[in-house]
Amino acid sequence: MLQNQIQEVTLFASQHDHVEKRLYIAGVVFSSLLAILGVVCFFVTTQLPETSSTWGMSSLVLGTAFLLTAVFCFFWKSKRLVYTPTGSMISARSMYFDPSFEERLTEAVSRGQLCPDPVWKSSVSGSVRLDVLMSEDGSFGAIQLFRYISYTYKPLTSIVYLSGDQVIYAKDFVNQL
């Protein structure tokens, strides 16, 4: 029964009472500026004489690139996770490890005690994945461990919420790697 509950809830898909997505004003302003630049490039294209086809095509391509980047930034980069009690931004990160670390990581994550140690070595990819949410001010943290099985990552542990010194140690752990 516990294994079924672990498989249903993952860290990045779950919700927490004190974590919410908020509009990131700087991201919206940046997206708006890119959209305006794209429209200006399109306008410049219509004002150029037909003899300057190279400039017209360049302006058209540049305008399209600005508009596509603006849409991407607006829809995918305009929201940020925030820890509501302190208003601190939350960063999400995934770290990958060799299978030889699975047992030690499972034990450390289950206890909520990720301590920096020179033995830990993360890699670009691996069959063990550690998902981490950390607030910038160190007042909130959450971790969960996964194993790659049958072409997908399956949870090895349930979500572990950190507080106090646990967050500081986990932040040191993440920064060490």
Side-chain angles (χ1 to χ4, degrees):
M1 180 68 177
L2 179 60
Q3 185 66 22
N4 290 340
Q5 289 175 342
I6 289 174
Q7 289 180 356
E8 291 175 10
V9 180
T10 61
L11 181 60
F12 294 153
S14 69
Q15 293 188 1
H16 186 274
D17 292 339
H18 297 297
V19 175
E20 67 180 33
K21 277 191 172 187
R22 289 191 183 163
L23 189 64
Y24 184 55
I25 301 299
V28 173
V29 169
F30 180 70
S31 299
S32 302
L33 290 175
L34 286 176
I36 290 169
L37 281 173
V39 170
V40 166
C41 286
F42 283 131
F43 179 74
V44 166
T45 302
T46 63
Q47 300 302 313
L48 290 173
E50 289 184 27
T51 58
S52 62
S53 63
T54 304
W55 287 107
M57 278 306 240
S58 299
S59 178
L60 194 62
V61 168
L62 198 58
T64 303
F66 281 142
L67 282 176
L68 289 175
T69 305
V71 168
F72 171 77
C73 288
F74 183 76
F75 286 108
W76 286 279
K77 299 291 183 185
S78 64
K79 298 239 179 203
R80 299 277 193 226
L81 288 175
V82 174
Y83 184 57
T84 54
T86 63
S88 178
M89 301 282 266
I90 294 178
S91 61
R93 183 172 174 188
S94 292
M95 302 164 60
Y96 299 90
F97 295 90
D98 190 72
S100 62
F101 293 112
E102 181 179 323
E103 187 176 321
R104 290 183 61 206
L105 277 170
T106 303
E107 183 180 319
V109 169
S110 296
R111 289 191 329 251
Q113 296 177 344
L114 287 176
C115 296
D117 188 340
V119 174
W120 301 113
K121 301 267 190 268
S122 68
S123 59
V124 177
S125 64
S127 62
V128 178
R129 183 181 86 195
L130 178 66
D131 287 349
V132 180
L133 288 178
M134 296 263 175
S135 64
E136 289 177 352
D137 65 359
S139 57
F140 173 81
I143 53 178
Q144 188 175 22
L145 194 64
F146 296 83
R147 179 189 317 137
Y148 190 76
I149 304 171
S150 302
Y151 304 105
T152 187
Y153 281 97
K154 307 258 184 195
L156 277 174
T157 63
S158 58
I159 299 170
V160 177
Y161 294 102
L162 308 172
S163 61
D165 287 341
Q166 290 178 319
V167 179
I168 295 167
Y169 292 136
K171 199 172 225 179
D172 290 342
F173 174 84
V174 169
N175 290 336
Q176 166 196 324
L177 305 174

